[in-house]
Amino acid sequence: MAPKIHFIYVAVCLLAFVTLVLYRDGKQITRSAAPVGGECRAMFEISKTNGRTWGKDDSYEAYTRQLPPLVHRRLELADPVMLNSTRLQLLWGAVPYIPCKIREYSDAPFLACSAARAEAGKTTWIALVGDSQMRLKLHLLLRVLPRGLTYTFTMEGRQVSKETFEEAVVTHKVHPSIFEVIGHHPSPKLDLRDSFRNDSLKSEEAGGPGVSETYIVRVTLVWAPLGSRRGHPLDHNLAVTTAVQEWADAASIPDVIVAGYGLWFLLMKEYEGELVPFTEMDRLSRPLLSPFTTLAARTNVLLWAQSRYRGFNFESGLELLDPDPISAWKKYLYQDQFAGSIPILDDWLWNILRATGMWRWDTLLPFNLASLKECKYLHASNMSQDMLYLSRWWNCVDSFHTSYRTDRDEFQLLLNLLCNPYLVPESGYCCS
């Protein structure tokens, strides 16, 4: 019975999607007049009149309503049906407000892309710069990077096993300034069937971690929760983040850099005052202006729109949070400092960094907002203990971080940026 329900649901969603693409609120949606294909920035940045910025999510909500749902609201007494797919897959790569189509990349096309880029003298190097939002994106990438390669793992330049690396990425009990994954062609002594997903494969078996132009794929995470610094925002002796400055002076640089940070500044709100997070974000982001300007002239640099706060996970009576009313009130104030502040912080950071020439990556923020609404509905439907609700794939229980489902869609956009010019030129796909 369940497969039949899912089939009917998918069919309904596809029909609804076609309707949404053509009409909304009784009026036909007109897309950008830009030529089909050749679009790169439009894949990442929603066009705004006169270069405006949005300090609230109201404008993004209009785009959210154009997306198909992943939760089916059935009969009132029945549990909701949760479609275990990504939104980009359900849309078949055709996002209503992006004026070009997104291609789906699996193992074979990804490897073909790397080979085509290598023939053109290009590497395939993705860099993430920021806080735990970027760290958990790296964790997702550990599961979607192509199989059939030999991978090495380093933290702060020290080679470690895959298990040690993954534990550090997930728990962050240790705080290296740089995490790095490098994929090479398999060593002759290893069976080609061995893959990144084989937990028994240790990086020590895969040869040294030396980075050369022969690698197939490289992913670097720079731990920079405060932009130019790292450490708790209330500490006085913050360590300096140097990787971005070093890249600006280097001959070989990442092929795409995604920066995403800001939440840590809000921790100052509780102890320092309402405006301190914004003044400190300005002060600690200014040292990045020069290197980001240099890098944006040489490669693609994206400023990622942060995941929004899922405060409904804490919407219960104070007496349920803690039997001590004073302690309960403190917990409430701690959680409340994030509510409503993230869009303002996002907008503030963009206004600081926009002069660098980087792109504002906000096209998938509506995906995030759609997931937030669905998680809120599931919470209200008493499904907060459901396996999918608790899973990283839906990530409803996490109040700050995106779901791995949305992270996967974001990775597909990055691959379209890197691969389409080499694999599908003049095809109508974004960046073709």
Side-chain angles (χ1 to χ4, degrees), residues 108-388:
F110 190 179
L111 291 174
C113 162
S114 298
R117 288 178 60 85
E119 287 182 8
K122 301 283 187 178
T123 59
T124 306
W125 181 7
I126 299 172
L128 308 170
V129 179
D131 55 22
S132 56
Q133 299 275 15
M134 298 295 110
R135 182 165 50 82
L136 293 184
K137 291 185 192 307
L138 174 60
H139 188 227
L140 180 277
L141 290 181
L142 301 186
R143 284 154 174 73
V144 299
L145 288 173
R147 291 170 287 187
L149 297 180
T150 295
Y151 289 90
T152 59
F153 313 88
T154 63
M155 297 191 305
E156 208 97 62
R158 180 177 63 89
Q159 190 170 339
V160 297
S161 69
K162 185 238 181 180
E163 292 86 351
T164 299
F165 185 90
E166 186 167 12
E167 181 183 11
V169 169
V170 173
T171 66
H172 211 231
K173 293 179 180 178
V174 294
H175 306 85
S177 60
I178 293 182
F179 297 82
E180 194 152 59
V181 184
I182 303 169
H184 300 268
H185 284 299
S187 167
K189 67 179 180 179
L190 291 177
D191 192 306
L192 187 61
R193 292 170 295 180
D194 285 336
S195 76
F196 186 85
R197 296 176 176 83
N198 183 356
D199 287 350
S200 65
L201 180 63
K202 301 291 191 298
S203 63
E204 289 81 0
E205 299 171 350
V211 179
S212 71
E213 297 305 313
T214 62
Y215 64 78
I216 305 301
V217 61
R218 178 180 178 184
V219 181
T220 303
L221 167 66
V222 177
W223 177 244
L226 299 174
S228 64
R229 299 293 179 107
R230 63 183 188 276
H232 194 281
L234 297 178
D235 292 343
H236 295 290
N237 297 316
L238 295 171
V240 177
T241 302
T242 60
V244 175
Q245 289 84 347
E246 291 169 359
W247 288 337
D249 297 327
S252 179
I253 61 175
D255 301 289
V256 60
I257 301 171
V258 181
Y261 64 93
L263 280 177
W264 282 49
F265 289 98
L266 289 177
L267 295 173
M268 302 175 180
K269 200 173 179 182
E270 185 177 9
Y271 298 98
E272 304 287 346
E274 290 285 332
L275 297 180
V276 173
F278 301 94
T279 57
E280 286 299 287
M281 173 178 273
D282 188 284
R283 183 177 70 86
L284 295 179
S285 296
R286 293 289 167 182
L288 297 175
L289 286 175
S290 177
F292 271 150
T293 300
T294 300
L295 289 167
R298 299 175 58 196
T299 189
N300 294 111
V301 184
L302 313 174
L303 181 63
W304 177 78
Q306 295 181 88
S307 175
R308 299 323 195 211
Y309 179 60
R310 300 184 187 91
F312 51 81
N313 283 308
F314 302 97
E315 289 176 356
S316 57
L318 290 177
E319 69 280 0
L320 298 179
L321 294 172
D322 197 300
D324 178 10
I326 295 178
S327 177
W329 183 248
K330 287 182 178 179
K331 288 181 180 179
Y332 173 79
L333 290 178
Y334 173 81
Q335 300 297 341
D336 190 62
Q337 66 187 326
F338 302 102
S341 299
I342 297 176
I344 302 172
L345 203 71
D346 240 14
D347 185 57
W348 180 243
L349 181 58
W350 172 237
N351 277 286
I352 295 170
L353 296 178
R354 65 187 303 176
T356 63
M358 61 169 52
W359 296 352
R360 175 83 167 103
W361 189 0
D362 60 358
T363 49
L364 292 195
L365 179 56
F367 282 45
N368 180 275
L369 293 173
S371 293
L372 188 154
K373 289 181 180 296
E374 288 163 349
C375 286
K376 188 172 184 178
Y377 171 74
L378 294 172
H379 186 273
S381 302
N382 298 317
M383 293 188 66
S384 59
Q385 298 304 310
D386 185 88
M387 181 178 66
L388 285 178

Side-chain angles (χ1 to χ4, degrees), residues 79-100:
D79 290 337
V81 174
M82 304 163 70
L83 187 61
N84 206 20
S85 172
T86 76
R87 222 171 292 273
L88 197 58
Q89 289 170 335
L90 190 59
L91 290 166
W92 292 346
V95 181
Y97 52 84
I98 295 179
C100 49

Side-chain angles (χ1 to χ4, degrees), residues 41 45-54 350-351 354:
R41 187 160 184 165
E45 187 172 312
I46 294 177
S47 177
K48 305 171 187 67
T49 58
N50 300 321
R52 294 176 56 198
T53 60
W54 296 338
W350 172 237
N351 277 286
R354 65 187 303 176

